[in-house]
Amino acid sequence: MRAAMEAEAMTFSKRRKGVFKKAEELAVLCDVNVALIVFSATGKLFQFVFLLGI
């Protein structure tokens, strides 16, 4: 069971990084500000903010 939880945490981490990278790319390509708030299955908060020209 512990191995499955660790695998799930690793998958979440990889996907979170990928989503944050795509959000940054979108912000640059569209010249917009982007903010994301993501919660893990354990309730841990992750945030991403990309502000242009501030």
Side-chain angles (χ1 to χ4, degrees), residues 4-37:
M5 291 175 66
E6 289 176 5
E8 183 179 318
M10 181 58 69
T11 299
F12 172 79
S13 177
K14 288 179 181 179
R15 289 187 180 186
R16 177 179 45 86
K17 289 176 186 176
V19 168
F20 286 0
K21 183 175 180 175
K22 290 294 182 185
E24 182 177 358
E25 291 172 1
L26 181 65
V28 172
L29 288 172
C30 298
D31 194 32
V32 296
N33 297 328
V34 175
L36 296 176
I37 299 173

Side-chain angles (χ1 to χ4, degrees), residues 39-53:
F39 290 93
S40 70
T42 60
K44 187 173 180 181
L45 170 70
F46 296 91
Q47 60 186 2
F48 171 85
V49 178
F50 191 90
L51 301 174
L52 295 171

